[in-house]
Amino acid sequence: MIYNAYAEQNEQVCGIKLVSCGHIFSKPGREINRPCGREDWLLFYIAKGSETFYKENAEVGEAGSFIVFAPGEKQHHVSIGDKTAEFYYIHFQCRQLPDDLSLETSRVYHTLFNRRICDLFEDVLDETIRKRPFYEKLCIYKLLYLLTVLNREVSCINHPDRENFERIAQVVQHMNKFYSSDLTLKDYADMCSMSKYHFLRTFEKIVGDTPVEYRNNIRLQHAADLLLEERLAVEQISNLVGYSSASYFSSAFKQKYKLSPKQYQKQKR
């Protein structure tokens, strides 16, 4: 676990009190097993990698999946795969979830990975770490907003356009696993049995980014990891994540992270 930020809140807002939150980088095989759960609620989000949840049957959640545990509910899940996984969590206290949220507890929800959701978790973490005036209220408002956004993501699964959602989800999963591939827009469209332009419009409508933007973001996130974990040259990392031009890679990386790859590597290390 890289860090764990405890909120230490004494104040309740809307009947909710935030207990703790964190950002976990987990090696394969990390196991959480609480047969009787905890006294508080848990929101657990998979940002990278896979997690197996054990209930009546084992169920695997990929990046974008999340689960909410109520107090006293069994929590048994294990990090799987062969690479470091990444998770966010928030523990909070309340009598029950707000009535307008239609989220079932102890159920794995499979939604498309959304970097904006990670940003919302980061907002809560930032408030708990800095503890600026009124941070307790802001944390809870942000938590409610986060739960509402996740609820909306779930509603997309049950949308009348679900068939398109499932087709696009297959492409998103492929991009996350094979982000360095040089597949074209037409190749992805063929996976969905769509025309190229219909696929482009549908993908952007569901995901919020174009296919190229989405895949480039995945490539840059993996590049950032490699810059910290591996002793590789920038040109090597550029090729590993799928860029044919090191200069284009460096330009895209700087646009996203506001630092060149070498500056990022030096600063983070």
Side-chain angles (χ1 to χ4, degrees):
M1 184 181 298
I2 296 300
Y3 68 80
N4 182 28
Y6 287 93
E8 299 172 354
Q9 289 196 3
N10 297 314
E11 184 176 353
Q12 284 194 1
V13 179
C14 304
I16 300 175
K17 177 181 175 183
L18 196 148
V19 177
S20 65
C21 52
H23 185 183
I24 305 171
F25 290 83
S26 171
K27 295 298 182 184
R30 187 273 299 126
E31 181 175 13
I32 293 176
N33 189 3
R34 302 182 181 116
C36 299
R38 285 175 49 121
E39 295 181 355
D40 47 40
W41 294 72
L42 168 61
L43 169 61
F44 186 89
Y45 183 80
I46 304 174
K48 189 170 104 177
S50 305
E51 188 87 351
T52 297
F53 296 88
Y54 294 96
K55 301 176 292 180
E56 292 81 7
N57 300 304
E59 185 171 358
V60 176
E62 305 284 351
S65 299
F66 72 93
I67 190 168
V68 177
F69 290 107
E73 289 185 339
K74 174 184 175 182
Q75 299 175 16
H76 187 194
H77 43 108
V78 179
S79 178
I80 58 177
D82 56 0
K83 293 185 178 180
T84 299
E86 190 174 346
F87 311 99
Y88 288 97
Y89 72 88
I90 298 178
H91 288 287
F92 58 98
Q93 294 177 348
C94 63
R95 294 185 63 183
Q96 62 182 28
L97 293 179
D99 292 337
D100 55 346
L101 291 178
S102 56
L103 296 173
E104 299 177 27
T105 61
S106 290
R107 173 181 171 182
V108 182
Y109 285 101
H110 304 278
T111 66
L112 293 176
F113 173 73
N114 189 335
R115 176 51 58 181
R116 297 179 184 88
I117 290 176
C118 295
D119 291 340
L120 291 174
F121 277 101
E122 291 288 351
D123 286 346
V124 177
L125 281 165
D126 182 67
E127 291 293 340
T128 62
I129 291 169
R130 294 175 181 269
K131 292 182 170 57
R132 293 168 291 188
F134 308 111
Y135 83 94
E136 295 173 318
K137 288 184 173 66
L138 280 172
C139 278
I140 293 169
Y141 292 143
K142 289 176 184 291
L143 170 60
L144 288 170
Y145 181 67
L146 176 57
L147 287 167
T148 303
V149 170
L150 288 171
N151 204 159
R152 184 173 65 182
E153 294 289 308
V154 169
S155 70
C156 290
I157 300 173
N158 301 316
H159 192 271
D161 201 23
R162 179 174 180 174
E163 183 178 352
N164 280 341
F165 182 93
E166 290 178 345
R167 290 178 179 180
I168 297 300
Q170 291 177 356
V171 172
V172 167
Q173 290 172 2
H174 189 279
M175 286 181 174
N176 275 279
K177 289 183 178 179
F178 306 104
Y179 53 86
S180 62
S181 71
D182 58 356
L183 293 182
T184 65
L185 191 63
K186 186 179 184 306
D187 293 327
Y188 290 126
D190 289 344
M191 287 185 192
C192 299
S193 301
M194 295 179 179
S195 71
K196 184 169 69 173
Y197 298 105
H198 179 50
F199 166 73
L200 180 60
R201 290 193 300 269
T202 305
F203 189 100
E204 190 168 4
K205 178 182 176 182
I206 291 175
V207 177
D209 293 321
T210 67
V212 172
E213 289 170 340
Y214 186 85
R215 188 174 67 178
N216 280 343
N217 275 329
I218 296 170
R219 288 175 169 179
L220 293 172
Q221 289 159 20
H222 283 278
D225 291 342
L226 288 171
L227 284 166
L228 300 183
E229 295 176 3
E230 305 288 347
R231 299 290 179 179
L232 299 174
V234 171
E235 292 78 8
Q236 291 175 293
I237 292 176
S238 171
N239 289 329
L240 282 173
V241 299
Y243 286 92
S244 57
S245 165
S247 60
Y248 177 62
F249 161 70
S250 295
S251 175
F253 190 94
K254 188 169 184 178
Q255 185 175 4
K256 178 176 176 64
Y257 291 101
K258 312 306 180 189
L259 295 167
S260 71
K262 290 185 178 178
Q263 289 171 333
Y264 180 91
Q265 187 178 56
K266 183 177 179 181
Q267 185 181 100
K268 296 296 181 179
R269 281 182 175 172

